[in-house]
Each structure stands twice: as C-alpha cells, then as structure tokens.
C-alpha cells in the first residue's frame, strides 16, 4: 500500500450561528494516500465542502467554527498549528481548487502574476525564476501560447481556461495533497471532461494525493480508485470504487447510483431519484440520519444510529440492514 500522507481522525466541525451551535461534520475519519485519487461524493449539503475547508482551517475560528478531532499531516496535527504555520501549509503542501475560478482568481492581476505570487510566497526564488516556472505551469496545464497568456487577466479567458489557471496556481509549489472541490461543476459538459483528464494527468505527474469532491458518482467511477460516500456530515460508506459499484452496501449509495443516467436507458425513462432532500443541520434525525428517506428503514433505524463498520478488508458501511445481511452471509 502507498504511503499515507494525510489522516483525518474523528473530525468534527461546529458552526456558531444565530440559531445556536450546529454540528456540520460529525466524527469523520479517513486517510489519503500518496498518488491516489480519492473520490468524496454525496448530494449537495452533505458536508463535503465543510470537510475540505476544515482540513485547511479556512473558517474563522474566533467567530464561526469550532473544530474537534485531528488532521495529521507530516507528523503534526494541523489543529495544533498557529495561523502563521497554517499559511505555510496552504497552497504549498495542501492546495485547493474550487468550483468557481472567476471568483477565486484575483481580477486585477494577470494570470501569470497569480502563479508567480504563489511561488514567491512559499519559495525563496528570484522573480525571473518564478516567471519562468509560471510560464512552464501554464504550458503544463494545457494553456496554448503560455508566453502570451501570462500577461492576460482572468476575464480575458474562457471558463475552461480559467479553471486550468486555477489548477496551475494550485500546483505551482508541487503540493502533496490537492483538494478539488467540484472542480468542473460550473463548466460545460465537454470542458468538464477535459478538466477531469487534466486533473488525472497532474495526479500522475506530481504523484500527489487528490481528494476529488463531487456530487456526481459517475465522475468518481471514471477517475477514482477509492470512494467515500458522505451523508449529512458523516461517512456512510467507504471502499474501492469497483467493489462499491458491484455491491453497494448502503441504500444511500444505491440511490446515488440509480440516479446516474445510463447510456442504454430508454428515451423518456425517468431516473430514480432518492426521495426527499438532505435535512438542515437543525433537523438531524436521532437514529440513522438517512432513515427518513430510506425505503428499508425499520424502527431500529429510526431509534439507533448505526456505527461505521468494516465489512470487508476494503469496505466500510454505516447501516443496520447491511450489517444484518453481512451477518447472515458469514
Ligand atoms: N458557514 C456556514 N455556517 C453555517 N452552516 C454552514 C456553513 N457552511 C456550510 N454550512 C452547512 O453545512 C452543511 C454542509 O455543507 P457543505 O459542506 O457546503 O455541503 P456540500 O456537501 O454540498 O459541499 C450544510 O447543511 C450547510 O448549510
Ligand atoms: Mg460543496
């Protein structure tokens, strides 16, 4: 097995709001390995972005967020570091790419400048070296004519090109971990595939661990080896993509799979949607969090929260029914 480069242990994230303290992430633990593409899926509102932003401690800890648990990286718990020390981690060792490149890039600086800036903050290199590296990065992420593009502003580029620039900024310092949070959601379908190909190519080239966050299980199926399924601030299933597609253990995972459009589906055939919506944080059910939407829920499911249990060397699930089935098989 490859080297473990990031360990999230029992992560909890609470938000202080006008309506009281709301727990957005509850006991999330997982590892990221060098060189792997790890998919994190779940519908909108399941806590994917809060998990990734908490890893980098991006929320204001005085007014908004309270973290618990640990994020272990290079022998340290990131929650023990000072803000100054965190700044050395962000962008250099652990980088992030967001959905919306236009609002993440600075409109008043050229794209070349923004890549240079990331390099000059973290590396002791000359301006000329930074410029050369920035142009190299623009070429690497597939931007044609990088010498000329270096001097352009974000608004002069298409959505796809801007996302490539974001990736160049994120990778300029060769990070160990790249967190890509819905990196293609805002793009046209054809461009989405190109950007996903680029992320996979960069994953190989830089040998980093990539956390690919998406609401689209189909994207994970094409790009990742391992996947974590999140529901309402918890992990409900984790395993190898092949195993999970062959035999999903959690009804929520099955629901997500059923909502992927199939090539051979008949015209007009409706996709199965999971009924209902993800509850708000002030309406978290007491038992299994998915029970109110689950077609198999029993009294036990409504009363008692299931634990996340290892059902094979590579698969974990949080579901009373799946546990009962596994027990029968063994
Ligand atoms: N700054 C915030 N303050 C309060 N609640 C928040 C904040 N950010 C996110 N949440 C809540 O946390 C939950 C998880 O959100 P998020 O991680 O953004 O979901 P997603 O899986 O779509 O990325 C949601 O219920 C969302 O409303
Ligand atoms: Mg999100």
């Amino acid at each position: 097995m490859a080297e473990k480069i990031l360990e999230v242990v029992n992560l909890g994230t609470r938000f202080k709001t006008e309506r009281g303290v709301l727990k957005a992430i509850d006991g999330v633990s997982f590892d990221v390995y060098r060189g792997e593409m790890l998919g994190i899926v779940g519908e909108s509102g399941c806590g994917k972005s809060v998990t990734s932003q908490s890893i980098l401690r991006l929320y204001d800890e005085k007014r908004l967020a309270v973290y618990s648990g640990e994020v272990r990286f290079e022998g340290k718990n990131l929650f023990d570091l000072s803000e100054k020390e965190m700044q050395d981690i962000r962008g250099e060792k652990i980088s992030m790419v967001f959905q919306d490149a236009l609002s993440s890039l600075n409109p008043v600086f050229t794209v070349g400048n923004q890549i240079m800036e990331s390099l000059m903050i973290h590396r002791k290199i000359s301006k000329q070296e930074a410029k050369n590296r920035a142009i190299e990065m623009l070429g690497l992420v597939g931007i044609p004519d990088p010498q000329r593009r270096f001097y352009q502003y974000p608004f002069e580029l298409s959505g796809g090109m801007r996302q490539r620039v974001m990736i160049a900024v994120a990778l300029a310092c060769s990070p160990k971990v790249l967190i890509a949070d819905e990196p293609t959601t805002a793009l046209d379908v054809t461009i989405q595939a190109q950007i996903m190909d680029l992320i996979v190519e960069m994953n190989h080239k830089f040998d980093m661990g990539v956390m690919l966050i998406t609401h689209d299980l189909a994207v994970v199926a094409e790009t990742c080896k391992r996947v974590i399924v999140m529901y309402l601030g918890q992990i409900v299933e984790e395993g190898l993509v092949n195993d999970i597609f062959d035999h999903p253990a959690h009804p929520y995972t099955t629901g997500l799979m059923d909502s992927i459009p199939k090539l051979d589906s008949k015209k007009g055939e409706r996709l199965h949607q999971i009924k209902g919506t993800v509850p708000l944080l002030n309406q978290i059910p007491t038992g299994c969090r998915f029970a109110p939407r689950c077609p198999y829920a029993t009294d036990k499911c409504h009363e008692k929260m299931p634990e996340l249990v290892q059902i094979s060397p590579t698969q974990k699930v949080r579901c009373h029914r799946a546990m009962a089935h596994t027990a029968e098989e063994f």
Side-chain angles (χ1 to χ4, degrees), residues 18 25 47 65 106 118-119 133 166 177 204 253 256 279 307 314:
E18 284 171 358
I25 302 300
N106 192 329
S118 168
L119 285 162
R133 171 82 174 153
M166 275 276 289
V177 179
H204 290 305
T253 315
L256 290 178
E307 298 292 321
T314 50

Side-chain angles (χ1 to χ4, degrees), residues 21 35 53 63 65 76 100 104 112 122 144 153 201 246 273 277 280:
V21 177
Q53 309 245 27
R63 273 170 297 176
K76 296 186 185 113
D100 187 359
S104 311
H122 296 295
Y153 290 89
E201 186 192 330
D246 283 350
Q273 297 291 353
T277 50
L280 298 174

Side-chain angles (χ1 to χ4, degrees), residues 5-6 32 55 73 92-96 170-171 174-179 208-211:
I5 44 176
L6 183 77
V32 181
I55 290 173
F73 180 74
E92 183 181 11
K93 307 236 165 153
I94 305 177
S95 270
M96 220 166 154
L171 299 186
S174 313
K176 287 196 165 171
V177 179
L178 175 70
I179 305 177
M208 26 174 207
V210 176
M211 284 169 57

Side-chain angles (χ1 to χ4, degrees), residues 251-307:
Y252 181 59
T253 315
T254 314
L256 290 178
M257 279 169 51
D258 288 345
S259 48
I260 300 177
K262 296 192 181 53
L263 280 176
D264 58 359
S265 64
K266 291 184 202 77
K267 212 175 165 201
E269 195 178 20
R270 288 193 55 195
L271 291 173
H272 293 281
Q273 297 291 353
I274 306 168
K275 68 170 185 188
T277 50
V278 183
L280 298 174
L281 296 179
N282 57 0
Q283 293 162 354
I284 294 180
T286 30
C288 169
R289 294 184 174 188
F290 187 60
R293 303 174 71 192
C294 181
Y296 309 107
T298 62
D299 289 348
K300 183 180 181 188
C301 303
H302 288 286
E303 282 154 21
K304 192 169 177 289
M305 154 115 78
E307 298 292 321

Side-chain angles (χ1 to χ4, degrees), residues 166-197:
M166 275 276 289
I167 294 171
V169 174
L171 299 186
C173 296
S174 313
K176 287 196 165 171
V177 179
L178 175 70
I179 305 177
D181 190 354
E182 307 266 6
T184 62
T185 305
L187 303 171
D188 294 344
V189 181
T190 44
I191 311 292
Q192 282 184 8
Q194 292 170 13
I195 296 294
M196 275 322 305
D197 287 349

Side-chain angles (χ1 to χ4, degrees), residues 72-296:
R72 294 188 196 137
F73 180 74
E74 294 189 331
K76 296 186 185 113
N77 174 8
L78 297 190
F79 290 146
D80 292 337
L81 301 189
S82 65
E83 177 52 29
K84 170 85 189 51
E85 289 168 311
M86 275 312 293
Q87 282 167 11
D88 294 336
I89 302 270
R90 292 185 200 120
E92 183 181 11
K93 307 236 165 153
I94 305 177
S95 270
M96 220 166 154
V97 178
F98 302 94
Q99 174 177 334
D100 187 359
L102 197 54
S103 60
S104 311
L105 292 170
N106 192 329
V108 301
F109 291 107
T110 64
V111 297
N113 247 311
Q114 302 190 47
I115 305 175
M116 276 177 72
E117 191 187 77
S118 168
L119 285 162
M120 312 253 301
I121 291 174
H122 296 295
R123 298 274 152 95
K124 286 193 183 68
I125 55 174
S126 71
K127 242 181 151 167
Q128 189 57 45
E129 282 171 307
K131 186 178 174 191
N132 293 345
R133 171 82 174 153
I135 292 172
E136 184 195 332
M137 285 307 300
L138 287 173
L140 201 65
V141 297
I143 293 187
D145 200 0
Q147 258 99 352
R148 188 171 65 85
R149 297 287 186 173
F150 179 91
Y151 296 102
Q152 290 193 317
Y153 290 89
F155 73 87
E156 296 177 273
L157 303 177
S158 68
M161 285 296 157
R162 279 198 293 265
Q163 199 56 306
R164 287 179 191 270
V165 170
M166 275 276 289
I167 294 171
V169 174
L171 299 186
C173 296
S174 313
K176 287 196 165 171
V177 179
L178 175 70
I179 305 177
D181 190 354
E182 307 266 6
T184 62
T185 305
L187 303 171
D188 294 344
V189 181
T190 44
I191 311 292
Q192 282 184 8
Q194 292 170 13
I195 296 294
M196 275 322 305
D197 287 349
L198 174 66
I199 291 175
V200 172
E201 186 192 330
M202 294 296 117
N203 165 246
H204 290 305
K205 198 163 245 139
F206 287 83
D207 196 28
M208 26 174 207
V210 176
M211 284 169 57
L212 176 69
I213 297 176
T214 170
H215 61 276
D216 189 347
L217 201 52
V219 170
V220 167
E222 280 163 26
T223 51
C224 298
K225 203 165 162 209
R226 224 156 56 83
V227 63
I228 286 172
V229 182
M230 284 193 72
Y231 187 75
L232 201 47
Q234 296 179 323
I235 293 177
V236 295
E237 184 156 8
E238 177 181 340
L240 299 176
V241 168
N242 284 344
D243 287 351
I244 289 198
F245 271 76
D246 283 350
H247 40 86
H250 201 288
Y252 181 59
T253 315
T254 314
L256 290 178
M257 279 169 51
D258 288 345
S259 48
I260 300 177
K262 296 192 181 53
L263 280 176
D264 58 359
S265 64
K266 291 184 202 77
K267 212 175 165 201
E269 195 178 20
R270 288 193 55 195
L271 291 173
H272 293 281
Q273 297 291 353
I274 306 168
K275 68 170 185 188
T277 50
V278 183
L280 298 174
L281 296 179
N282 57 0
Q283 293 162 354
I284 294 180
T286 30
C288 169
R289 294 184 174 188
F290 187 60
R293 303 174 71 192
C294 181
Y296 309 107

